[in-house]
């Protein structure tokens, strides 16, 4: 189920709900902060347990509902409806409405850690005073909001702080009024990349030895087209489905389905000034950038007679474009040449935020592998990423067996104890071809790019095998 609060140009707010059976129709069509024209919705009384708005009614999406993205600057991004402190303090029982509160911080407690049903939980209590003065509330910030608040105090020392809470829940606990943050809100791009994220270059990401989350910056050099750009997903959990006769089987739900949801799974070759790596881009962020759901693009591509071994030209819009990435580094077999999978959990392509990020970390412009000094490192990476039909984390962090099959040769049996760098004259072996991996020559290459430096894992004998593979591919 998806819950939305929709704001119009007069500042009016109404709750909208996408029921579970319709989520797959709309989850890729709606993004927070955008303006849409909505048509063909149903209306019901607003009788939910907690009400984010005081509107008499609420709306529900139907199968026939139409969602159209529009450009309209007259509708504000935030529509606050602040509730006076006196109204909150006069409540004699728990109120089921969610409220917006504005106040000055007059005190805070320590971060409290405890376990609930075996899971770690964290919160911090702060005291707020109304702007006019004289009335105070105590507010509990949970989990991410607690960490965000404490980090802001640490990074921005000041004599006073003003806090805005949106969609907070009122609760009377032992005679003391608390306003607890609901978990509706999400981090802004600035908060995600400029304030909270931990930066690592691509070279540093490849040295990580445990599952971690970082932010990084890079330019998409290529789309790794040896892998499919979409997959058959379970409509309930987004896990990749396996064809079982005439049905599709989800091993997580332990259920067979007659239908599936098409979701993006795009492998991007990303480069920065230190190295390059394969990043996996999944459905939510891919849809947000491409402005078209995967199922629509697939339908259109098939209708045009698209080659199943290639990808739609729309996906090429990622190429040669610089992004900020929030990535999850997942460690696999530490004994293999490529012991990690890097998947993208959030993507930023706003120029002003990218510029601020580069300034903060003093990142210089990167040249896109155009001379001998650039190293196409970890050349077996793409082939190893999806071997044995296993894949990477999907948007919701679920391990996703993918129907995508690598087509290149793997060299995982090569000795990784020695790394040598060889000058390989591509013109000798491939003519006018580009060089992506030691076992694959394809496409066209600029005439001046005839020699690249290739990282070879193994001894001199392995290097000879490499040259032999290139010659075999040529023939």
């Amino acid at each position: 189920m998806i819950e939305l609060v929709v704001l119009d140009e007069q500042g009016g707010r109404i709750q909208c709900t996408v029921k579970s059976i319709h989520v797959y129709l709309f989850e890729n069509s709606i993004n927070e902060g955008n303006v849409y024209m909505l048509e063909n919705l149903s209306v019901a009384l607003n009788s939910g347990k907690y009400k984010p708005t005081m509107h008499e009614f609420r709306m529900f999406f139907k199968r026939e509902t139409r969602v159209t993205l529009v450009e309209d600057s007259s509708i504000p991004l935030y529509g606050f409806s602040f509730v006076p402190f006196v109204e909150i303090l006069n409540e004699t029982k728990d109120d089921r409405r969610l409220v917006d509160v504005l106040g000055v911080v007059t005190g805070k407690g320590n971060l409290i850690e405890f376990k609930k049903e075996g899971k770690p939980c964290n919160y911090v209590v702060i005291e707020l005073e109304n702007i006019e003065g004289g009335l105070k509330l105590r507010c509990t910030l949970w989990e991410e909001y607690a960490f965000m608040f404490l980090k802001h105090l640490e990074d921005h020392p000041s004599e006073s702080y003003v806090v805005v809470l949106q969609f907070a829940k009122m609760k009377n606990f032992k005679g003391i009024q608390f306003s607890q943050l609901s978990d509706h809100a999400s981090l802004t791009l600035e908060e995600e990349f400029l304030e909270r994220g931990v930066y690592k270059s691509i070279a540093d990401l490849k040295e990580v030895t445990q599952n971690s989350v970082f932010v990084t910056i890079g330019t998409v050099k290529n789309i790794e087209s040896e892998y499919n750009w979409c997959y058959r997903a379970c409509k309930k959990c987004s896990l990749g489905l396996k064809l079982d006769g005439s049905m599709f089987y989800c091993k997580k739900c332990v259920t067979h389905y007659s239908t599936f949801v098409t979701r993006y799974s795009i492998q991007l070759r990303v480069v920065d000034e230190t190295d390059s790596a394969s990043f996996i881009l999944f459905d939510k962020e891919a849809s947000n950038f491409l402005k078209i759901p995967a199922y629509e693009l697939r339908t259109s591509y098939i209708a045009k007679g698209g080659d199943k071994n290639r990808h739609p030209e729309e996906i090429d819009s990622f190429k040669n474009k610089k992004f900020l990435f929030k990535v999850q580094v997942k460690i696999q077999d530490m004994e293999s040449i490529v012991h990690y999978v890097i998947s993208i959990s959030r993507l930023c392509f706003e120029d002003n935020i990218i510029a601020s990020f580069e300034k903060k970390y003093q990142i210089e412009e990167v040249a896109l592998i155009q001379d001998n000094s650039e190293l196409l490192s970890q050349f077996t990476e793409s082939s190893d990423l999806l071997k044995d039909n296993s894949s990477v984390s999907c948007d919701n962090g679920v391990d996703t067996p993918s129907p995508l099959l690598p087509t290149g040769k793997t060299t995982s049996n090569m000795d990784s104890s020695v790394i040598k760098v060889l000058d390989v004259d591509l013109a000798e072996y491939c003519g006018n071809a580009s060089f992506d991996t030691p076992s694959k020559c394809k496409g066209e290459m600029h005439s001046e790019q005839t020699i690249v430096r290739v990282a070879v894992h193994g001894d001199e004998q392995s290097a000879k095998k490499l040259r032999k593979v290139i010659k075999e591919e040529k023939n």
Side-chain angles (χ1 to χ4, degrees):
M1 183 179 294
I2 301 175
E3 295 288 358
L4 312 169
V5 174
V6 178
L7 180 72
D8 64 18
E9 59 185 356
Q10 282 81 37
R13 302 191 300 189
I14 189 169
Q15 181 180 357
C16 294
T17 301
V18 182
K19 294 184 177 179
S20 298
I21 59 173
H22 295 144
V23 165
Y24 76 98
L25 294 172
F26 302 105
E27 62 179 337
N28 298 325
S29 305
I30 302 173
N31 289 291
E32 184 177 348
N34 290 341
V35 179
Y36 299 94
M37 180 171 66
L38 305 178
E39 301 175 84
N40 299 328
L41 297 99
S42 62
V43 179
L45 289 173
N46 186 13
S47 56
K49 182 177 180 181
Y50 291 105
K51 301 177 181 180
T53 80
M54 293 307 294
H55 200 288
E56 182 182 0
F57 299 99
R58 60 188 296 187
M59 298 191 295
F60 290 87
F61 282 58
K62 304 185 297 182
R63 183 177 295 274
E64 300 79 16
T65 298
R66 295 179 58 186
V67 179
T68 306
L69 179 67
V70 298
E71 297 293 335
D72 189 342
S73 59
S74 65
I75 298 179
L77 180 60
Y78 303 104
F80 295 109
S81 180
F82 295 115
V83 177
F85 279 35
V86 64
E87 187 174 328
I88 297 174
L89 292 169
N90 286 337
E91 288 290 340
T92 57
K93 61 180 180 179
D94 294 356
D95 198 316
R96 292 187 174 185
R97 59 174 171 161
L98 303 181
V99 298
D100 299 345
V101 175
L102 171 68
V104 179
V105 178
T106 55
K108 76 170 186 68
N110 296 322
L111 182 68
I112 305 298
E113 301 178 6
F114 67 99
K115 286 190 176 182
K116 182 178 181 180
E117 298 178 353
K119 296 181 179 180
C121 298
N122 303 272
Y123 72 88
V124 64
V125 177
I126 64 174
E127 184 181 67
L128 300 179
E129 184 176 25
N130 61 336
I131 301 299
E132 298 80 10
L135 297 176
K136 293 183 178 181
L137 290 173
R138 296 182 69 186
C139 171
T140 306
L141 304 179
W142 293 93
E143 303 301 343
E144 280 197 10
Y145 301 102
F147 296 121
M148 288 168 57
F149 176 78
L150 295 175
K151 187 175 189 302
H152 184 85
L153 296 188
E154 179 181 348
D155 294 344
H156 306 279
S158 176
E159 294 183 358
S160 62
Y161 300 89
V162 176
V163 170
V164 174
L165 307 180
Q166 189 170 34
F167 303 130
K169 180 173 66 176
M170 292 188 291
K171 186 175 181 64
N172 191 303
F173 180 67
K174 294 182 179 180
I176 303 174
Q177 294 288 341
F178 282 81
S179 177
Q180 298 174 287
L181 263 182
S182 159
D183 59 0
H184 281 64
S186 60
L187 295 179
T188 65
L189 290 172
E190 290 87 348
E191 292 169 334
E192 191 85 84
F193 292 100
L194 301 179
E195 298 177 16
R196 301 198 63 200
V198 177
Y199 166 67
K200 281 190 180 294
S201 67
I202 291 179
D204 290 336
L205 290 177
K206 296 166 91 168
E207 298 299 321
V208 171
T209 58
Q210 60 184 4
N211 294 347
S212 310
V213 177
F214 299 102
V215 295
T216 192
I217 184 171
T219 300
V220 176
K221 180 67 171 63
N222 205 0
I223 310 298
E224 297 184 339
S225 56
E226 58 264 42
Y227 305 100
N228 289 339
W229 55 274
C230 63
Y231 71 100
R232 298 185 294 258
C234 174
K235 58 186 178 182
K236 184 176 180 180
C237 71
S238 299
L239 200 71
L241 299 175
K242 290 188 176 294
L243 186 62
D244 185 10
S246 61
M247 302 289 283
F248 302 97
Y249 179 71
C250 176
K251 71 174 184 180
K252 181 181 180 183
C253 301
V254 196
T255 304
H256 283 84
Y257 296 98
S258 59
T259 60
F260 61 86
V261 179
T262 301
R263 297 177 70 89
Y264 287 112
S265 176
I266 306 170
Q267 291 207 190
L268 308 175
R269 172 58 58 171
V270 181
V271 59
D272 69 1
E273 74 276 10
T274 66
D275 209 336
S276 70
S278 181
F279 288 13
I280 315 298
L281 180 65
F282 284 105
D283 197 72
K284 181 179 178 181
E285 295 301 313
S287 298
N288 187 37
F289 177 78
L290 295 172
K291 303 300 183 186
I292 181 172
Y295 71 90
E296 285 189 16
L297 186 55
R298 178 175 178 271
T299 301
S300 172
Y301 188 59
I302 293 174
K304 295 176 182 177
D307 184 349
K308 66 178 181 179
N309 295 319
R310 298 182 61 84
H311 56 260
E313 62 181 11
E314 288 86 346
I315 292 179
D316 285 329
S317 59
F318 285 103
K319 292 175 64 174
N320 299 321
K321 187 171 180 62
K322 185 184 294 183
F323 296 92
L324 294 177
F325 305 92
K326 180 182 179 182
V327 296
Q328 296 175 328
V329 183
K330 183 176 180 181
I331 303 304
Q332 297 186 317
D333 183 6
M334 288 297 296
E335 300 300 320
S336 64
I337 295 176
V338 181
H339 64 274
Y340 55 83
V341 171
I342 302 175
S343 59
I344 302 166
S345 58
R346 197 167 188 186
L347 195 66
C348 173
F349 43 90
E350 294 187 12
D351 293 339
N352 61 324
I353 300 178
I354 293 175
S356 298
F357 188 91
E358 290 178 319
K359 181 178 180 181
K360 178 177 180 179
Y361 294 104
Q362 299 179 341
I363 298 171
E364 297 180 358
E365 187 72 21
V366 57
L368 292 181
I369 308 183
Q370 293 176 339
D371 55 51
N372 294 348
S373 64
E374 290 291 352
L375 182 66
L376 294 182
S377 62
Q378 302 288 4
F379 56 81
T380 59
E381 179 176 9
S382 295
S383 298
D384 287 339
L385 274 177
L386 295 178
K387 64 183 180 182
D388 298 328
N389 251 5
S390 64
S391 186
V392 295
S393 301
C394 201
D395 292 339
N396 56 6
V398 177
D399 289 345
T400 309
S402 171
L404 319 183
L405 292 175
T407 59
K409 299 177 182 178
T410 63
T411 55
S412 57
N413 59 334
M414 296 179 66
D415 181 8
S416 61
S417 60
V418 180
I419 297 179
K420 294 195 175 185
V421 178
L422 305 177
D423 286 332
V424 179
D425 187 347
L426 296 187
E428 177 184 351
Y429 300 115
C430 305
N432 292 326
S434 65
F435 192 75
D436 287 340
T437 70
S439 62
K440 202 72 176 174
C441 298
K442 59 183 181 179
E444 294 185 355
M445 183 181 69
H446 298 296
S447 58
E448 69 270 19
Q449 189 181 344
T450 57
I451 295 180
V452 297
R453 294 176 69 79
V454 181
V456 178
H457 293 256
D459 53 16
E460 195 64 41
Q461 184 178 1
S462 298
K464 292 179 180 178
K465 289 180 181 179
L466 170 63
R467 292 191 179 96
K468 183 178 179 182
V469 168
I470 296 174
K471 287 182 178 179
E472 289 176 351
E473 287 291 339
K474 177 199 172 188
N475 296 329

